Amino acid sequence: MPSVFIKTYGCQMNERDSETVAAQLVAKGYTLAPSEKTADVILLNTCSVRDFAEKKAIGKMQNLAADVRKNRPDVVLGFMGCMAQSRGRELIDKLPDVDLVLGTQKFHRAAECLDEIISGAREKIVDVAEEENSEAAIREHLLNGSAKTSVSAFVSIMQGCNQRCTFCIVPFTRGGERSRTIPDIVAECRDLVSRGVKEITLLGQIVTSYGKKEKRDAWSMKRETGGASRITHDASPNSPFVQLLDAVHEIDGLDRIRFTSPHPKGYGDDLIDAYARLPKLVESAHLPVQSGSDRVLKLMHRGYTREKFLGIVKKLRRAKPGIGITTDIIVGFPGETETDFEETLSLAREVEFDNAYIFKYSQRRDTPAAEMPDQVPQKIREERNQRLLELVNGIAARKYDAFIGRQVQILVEGPSKKNAARNTGRTRCNRIVLFDGSARHQGQLMDVKITRTGSFTLYGDPAILNL
Ligand code: 5AD
């Protein structure tokens, strides 16, 4: 059977999609190649969120065509994921060495497409159509793939986004919101826990909107025909997402629950309350703020104000003291003035994020912001990026240093990738901790004392506490 190598660009959802494709191919008898040098099939799972991400994947494919394909003409080359979805056939027209273009609703078709190409039944395949129930097709896991994944696993709960932020290409690459059912998700989580998983991260493009569309559909269906929902909900006043958290929380043997990525408008009181109620829901929240200026937030179509956002942060910190809060921020959005940008700086100072991912605004095709007036010159985007980075990194470093001397609980994931003599674990607030430990610690919850810090890393000493 052939061997496959998958290179992933972009977010955790993309990582998860790649893992499922790899697991499906392994189940069909494929082996996983350690690198592209020896693989019979090379797939690039792509990201479209910024132009740079697309350029990187296209550049990589050009290199593969020039190097690998030249020496081994039978190698199969494919694009999957977001850029495959948004560009489709255009990719093959531009790069004739590409054999396969597989969209975001077609990951589970990878094996049959590759069969057809390898057997010669079809020369090239472009499949970017919509497919009903594709949201429930991301389910296979590669638990033996690496030590880390056997302790901590990602579970895809929904696909797509209906939010329509004016800068964002995701509704075009991932389609509208579609959610799996609670019993289906819980069954997958239970299976993972029975195989040794201790921590589950629930994944989706906008997890806080989980099940909302289905709930609305069910209501209108009930009124019209008396039909039932595809996702069953009781009369709970809580949002479907909080109902899902409750259901996953009941799984015995599961220690920790995380989720990403949420939308700030999804942090209603029911979710804040879930943080206070559910001990397995860890002290960690990613709250993508995007801007500190109300004017820019409105242009972005974010659906909240600066004040509303600050209120959510306050409530979360009250519900879960010590919670780690991270964010995404875009600098140089069209029309962003120096005054708007200074409001973002002041918001970052006020919240003191534990970490912030900063993005220079990138024009994406078909998005409203790409057509807006007053596009900010590249030089100013870069300058603002630099200024904000300095601020948030300074705050983050101070917050890391504050851990020195403190005792924290970590979930041990396994040997560190960079130095196998060290173990790596994560605090509940999602900070990486390195410590000298052995394989027997893997999968354990341990208390360690933080002795020093590195760049976005804590160093711990378990010997002091776990004799
Ligand atoms: N330009 C720059 N950053 C973007 N993001 C999304 N779209 C764009 C864009 N057009 C960022 C947002 C989002 C993160 C995943 O990527 O901050 O939260």
Side-chain angles (χ1 to χ4, degrees), residues 251-266:
I251 299 173
D252 284 336
L254 177 65
D255 290 325
R256 292 177 170 187
I257 304 171
R258 301 182 186 279
F259 56 81
T260 203
S261 55
H263 190 289
K265 74 173 189 163

Side-chain angles (χ1 to χ4, degrees), residues 11 13 48-51 165-170 261-262 286 288-290 300 302 327-331 333 357-364 367 369 381:
C11 62
M13 280 70 90
S48 280
V49 93
R50 279 162 299 140
D51 189 46
C165 301
T166 53
F167 52 78
C168 190
I169 200 171
V170 166
S261 55
H286 185 63
V289 68
Q290 312 298 0
M300 288 177 162
R302 289 294 287 173
T327 197
D328 292 345
I329 300 174
I330 296 178
V331 294
F333 183 82
Y357 302 91
I358 303 168
F359 303 94
K360 285 173 271 180
Y361 172 70
S362 165
Q363 276 165 286
R364 312 310 297 127
T367 60
R381 292 183 213 181

Side-chain angles (χ1 to χ4, degrees), residues 25 81 104 119 138-139 170 179 200 229 238 248-249 261 268 308 325 339 364 383 440 442:
L25 293 176
T104 52
S119 70
I138 309 294
R139 51 203 316 144
V170 166
S179 297
I200 284 177
S229 165
N238 291 342
V248 173
H249 196 269
S261 55
K308 180 93 205 280
I325 297 183
T339 313
R364 312 310 297 127
E383 184 237 341
R440 78 189 158 85
Q442 190 176 322

Side-chain angles (χ1 to χ4, degrees), residues 9-11 14 45-55 57 80-87 91 104 167-170 172-174 362-365 367:
Y9 297 85
C11 62
N14 289 6
N45 193 7
T46 55
C47 168
S48 280
V49 93
R50 279 162 299 140
D51 189 46
F52 182 62
E54 291 203 351
K55 287 221 169 85
M80 310 189 288
C82 288
M83 184 177 69
Q85 184 71 41
S86 68
R87 297 202 172 202
L91 287 169
T104 52
F167 52 78
C168 190
I169 200 171
V170 166
F172 304 100
T173 61
R174 291 281 177 170
S362 165
Q363 276 165 286
R364 312 310 297 127
R365 70 159 103 177
T367 60

Side-chain angles (χ1 to χ4, degrees), residues 385-431:
N385 180 54
Q386 214 41 49
R387 282 163 69 194
L388 186 55
L389 253 179
E390 269 167 37
L391 174 68
V392 299
N393 285 349
I395 293 169
R398 246 192 289 124
K399 295 192 90 170
Y400 269 80
D401 287 346
F403 273 83
I404 295 173
R406 272 172 53 189
Q407 177 181 327
V408 292
Q409 184 208 62
I410 61 168
L411 175 61
V412 184
E413 292 174 353
S416 153
K417 266 193 207 138
K418 284 194 200 136
N419 175 357
R422 278 209 177 112
N423 267 341
T424 173
R426 246 169 229 271
T427 65
R428 286 171 64 91
C429 58
N430 213 17
R431 287 183 159 88

Side-chain angles (χ1 to χ4, degrees), residues 345-364:
L345 291 174
S346 88
L347 179 113
R349 257 182 238 115
E350 191 168 340
V351 175
E352 301 200 310
F353 292 108
D354 293 84
N355 198 1
Y357 302 91
I358 303 168
F359 303 94
K360 285 173 271 180
Y361 172 70
S362 165
Q363 276 165 286
R364 312 310 297 127

